[in-house]
Amino acid sequence: MSKTLFDKVWDTHVVRKIEGGPDVLFIDRHLIHEVTSPVAFLGLKSRGISVLYPDRTFATADHNTPTINQHLPVADPLSANQLDALESNSKEYGISYWGLGHQKNGIVHVVGPEYGITQPGATIVCGDSHTSTHGAFGAIAFGIGTSEVEMVLATQCIMQPKPKKMRINVNGKLGIGVTPKDVALFIISKLTTSGATGYFVEYAGDVFENMSMEGRMTVCNLSIEMGARGGMIAPDETTINYVKGREFSPKGEAWDRALAYYKTLKTDADAVFDKELTFDGSSIEPMITYGTNPGMGMGISHEIPDAAHVEGGAATYEKSLNYMGFHEGDSMLGKPVDFVFVGSCTNGRIEDFRAFTSLVKGKHKAENVTAWLVPGSHIVEAQIKEEGLLDILTEAGFALRQPGCSACLAMNDDKVPAGKYAVSTSNRNFEGRQGPGSRTMLASPLVAAAAAITGVVTDPRTLIEELV
Ligand code: SF4
């Protein structure tokens, strides 16, 4: 029987089918961090249960970590407690722990792929919604809650109802200045934040085939923002070249066996999806959000739509625009920008810093802008230095911070003050996401760069044309 990529990976991992209930899935890799694991470990301890597969579990500190002076003790007591708990639990249960100061420390969804923990055809979970990132490798990867973290620690399995399947095709040539982030924000703007609820999405078409692994990770990362359980892309030569030789990737004969498995991981020609959508990649322009959910996005040259043209209640829409201080019919171009954040598991990889640097090269940061450039890991940080990007950034008036989730969420010191506007390459623009009262505009690293040097929302294509 013909199968989709999703079916193939899911069916390979079913340990038991419960009649009329969820499937019990084996989990190949469990990534943990300081926010959702402490309570799960307390649960294990209270029941006297150990971690079944410590060697399939990896811990990194990222959400609560500072992004400057990481050699000093963490000042915030709550953050310090959570980080201490992650360290002591990891040591007690024999789990690899990559804490602050460790060479492998970084954002969980950045370091997992970098070290080859993320592999095609695997099942991967983590107590963070954006675990969908790992689907870029043809893995089934999704975020789980604290009680599920405890379940996976104890059993290496999880009970999950099988989601429906959706395929999203994007074909055609992307225009100048259009990045994977724009493709993802475009899709979410079309589907809305609930358009893929109940589905697991496969991305297909030449736009994704021609994308780097970094770009594919950005797209899959944002799947959750349209309600999907996760997103995935069939592994190909690009994937295999990325995975081969990494520290935790299979080696020798194990690699040969893995490669044979990876090559089976594609949707059969006549496999059926519950829903299929197709978009023209050449119609996408650099995107920016204007509201308080990632579905409230538009091409940067457009005007904020009227409530009559958007889904959801007019009152909610008005509340959202009021929070942002915007109005129906406004152009986003020229809107003030106070902060620029480049980083997070969405856009904290080397390709994102290359894009940002390409646009700010030879220019200077706007006086009114505070810029936080935060690599997703020490590997990214090292690449930025080795490739000479740091010199260009320094010359343009920017500084680099240390790896961590940073301003993606208001759980560490990098908070945007109330009422201030941030152009952010992260993934959520909810009220208060970057700090109480903060106002977030989600965009690509190129749009962030254009804002950082002009001090207002600017179409990056105008600056690229200047360069050409
Ligand atoms: S960068 Fe943001 S979304 Fe990603 S792991 Fe950190 S907090 Fe979660």
Side-chain angles (χ1 to χ4, degrees):
M1 192 180 137
S2 297
K3 286 186 171 186
T4 65
L5 164 64
F6 175 77
D7 287 328
K8 289 180 183 180
V9 181
W10 182 280
D11 294 349
T12 304
H13 288 83
V14 173
V15 174
R16 182 181 298 169
K17 284 197 164 294
I18 299 171
E19 193 61 40
D23 289 346
V24 180
L25 280 189
F26 185 76
I27 297 302
D28 293 309
R29 298 279 185 273
H30 187 192
L31 309 173
I32 62 172
H33 57 84
E34 70 273 29
V35 178
T36 47
S37 69
V39 174
F41 280 110
L42 280 179
L44 285 190
K45 281 173 196 168
S46 70
R47 295 193 287 156
I49 301 173
S50 61
V51 174
L52 186 60
Y53 282 114
D55 56 338
R56 291 179 180 272
T57 313
F58 299 84
T60 186
D62 53 9
H63 286 58
N64 289 68
T65 55
T67 58
I68 51 168
N69 294 326
Q70 289 186 344
H71 61 289
L72 297 177
V74 174
D76 175 57
L78 177 65
S79 296
N81 279 343
Q82 288 193 299
L83 293 166
D84 287 348
L86 182 67
E87 181 172 9
S88 62
N89 286 323
S90 299
K91 284 186 178 153
E92 183 178 342
Y93 291 99
I95 294 165
S96 295
Y97 170 67
W98 302 346
L100 265 188
H102 193 288
Q103 183 53 30
K104 291 176 184 161
N105 176 252
I107 303 174
V108 62
H109 309 312
V110 177
V111 296
E114 282 178 342
Y115 287 95
I117 294 167
T118 305
Q119 294 169 15
T123 46
I124 301 170
V125 295
C126 173
D128 181 277
S129 313
H130 296 86
T131 307
S132 55
T133 309
H134 308 265
F137 293 78
I140 290 183
F142 52 90
I144 57 176
T146 296
S147 59
E148 292 173 313
V149 171
E150 186 180 340
M151 187 192 304
V152 179
L153 288 171
T155 66
Q156 206 59 37
C157 289
I158 194 165
M159 291 194 293
Q160 284 291 298
K162 192 172 183 182
K164 291 186 285 184
K165 292 158 289 183
M166 180 188 294
R167 180 158 62 187
I168 297 177
N169 307 288
V170 185
N171 293 301
K173 192 169 168 5
L174 297 179
I176 191 164
V178 178
T179 70
K181 179 66 166 287
D182 301 302
V183 175
L185 287 177
F186 172 84
I187 294 170
I188 302 167
S189 75
K190 295 296 174 195
L191 270 77
T192 77
T193 50
S194 59
T197 301
Y199 291 89
F200 212 98
V201 172
E202 179 179 343
Y203 298 98
D206 52 24
V207 163
F208 304 111
E209 286 162 17
N210 294 330
M211 225 174 239
S212 65
M213 286 315 299
E214 285 83 356
R216 294 178 192 184
M217 284 188 253
T218 298
V219 170
C220 288
N221 172 282
L222 287 161
S223 305
I224 188 77
E225 304 306 338
M226 54 189 179
R229 195 72 182 98
M232 65 200 306
I233 295 174
D236 58 9
E237 283 302 307
T238 305
T239 323
I240 289 164
N241 290 338
Y242 183 101
V243 171
K244 190 173 183 184
R246 293 190 184 255
E247 185 172 332
F248 290 88
S249 297
K251 307 281 183 326
E253 283 181 21
W255 172 256
D256 296 337
R257 281 196 304 278
L259 197 56
Y261 172 52
Y262 299 165
K263 289 186 173 169
T264 67
L265 298 175
K266 51 173 75 77
T267 291
D268 296 330
D270 47 357
V272 176
F273 288 83
D274 298 292
K275 191 168 184 177
E276 184 142 15
L277 299 168
T278 299
F279 298 106
D280 173 11
S282 66
S283 70
I284 302 173
E285 65 172 78
M287 298 285 295
I288 191 160
T289 62
Y290 54 85
T292 53
N293 72 58
M296 298 176 77
M298 63 181 192
I300 198 162
S301 69
H302 295 193
E303 289 163 358
I304 296 176
D306 296 343
H309 295 109
V310 295
E311 282 189 26
T316 311
Y317 188 70
E318 190 183 340
K319 178 173 175 285
S320 178
L321 290 191
N322 281 344
Y323 181 85
M324 292 300 293
F326 298 155
H327 306 93
E328 295 171 357
D330 281 359
S331 168
M332 289 298 287
L333 296 173
K335 293 280 190 202
V337 175
D338 306 297
F339 284 76
V340 166
F341 169 50
V342 181
S344 84
C345 58
T346 311
N347 280 125
R349 299 183 180 80
I350 186 61
E351 203 169 83
D352 305 311
F353 289 93
R354 287 184 192 136
F356 183 89
T357 307
S358 72
L359 211 67
V360 304
K361 185 177 181 181
K363 297 190 160 50
H364 205 275
K365 183 181 78 63
E367 288 288 330
N368 62 304
V369 168
T370 300
W372 289 329
L373 310 187
V374 189
S377 70
H378 286 296
I379 287 186
V380 177
E381 184 183 31
Q383 283 176 300
I384 291 170
K385 292 175 183 169
E386 281 159 17
E387 294 184 13
L389 305 184
L390 182 57
D391 296 334
I392 298 168
L393 291 169
T394 306
E395 188 120 324
F398 295 94
L400 196 63
R401 296 172 84 87
Q402 292 171 294
C405 293
S406 183
C408 175
L409 83 176
M411 264 190 195
N412 52 63
D413 300 335
D414 302 346
K415 294 184 182 71
V416 175
K420 296 294 182 187
Y421 288 99
V423 170
S424 176
T425 64
S426 55
N427 43 57
R428 286 186 168 159
N429 51 350
F430 304 155
E431 291 187 19
R433 170 77 177 184
Q434 293 191 289
S438 60
R439 294 156 152 177
T440 302
M441 296 170 274
L442 298 176
S444 74
L446 284 178
V447 172
I453 52 181
T454 61
V456 295
V457 174
T458 300
D459 188 335
R461 293 173 297 187
T462 58
L463 299 168
I464 294 169
E465 278 158 20
E466 267 178 36
L467 294 175
V468 174

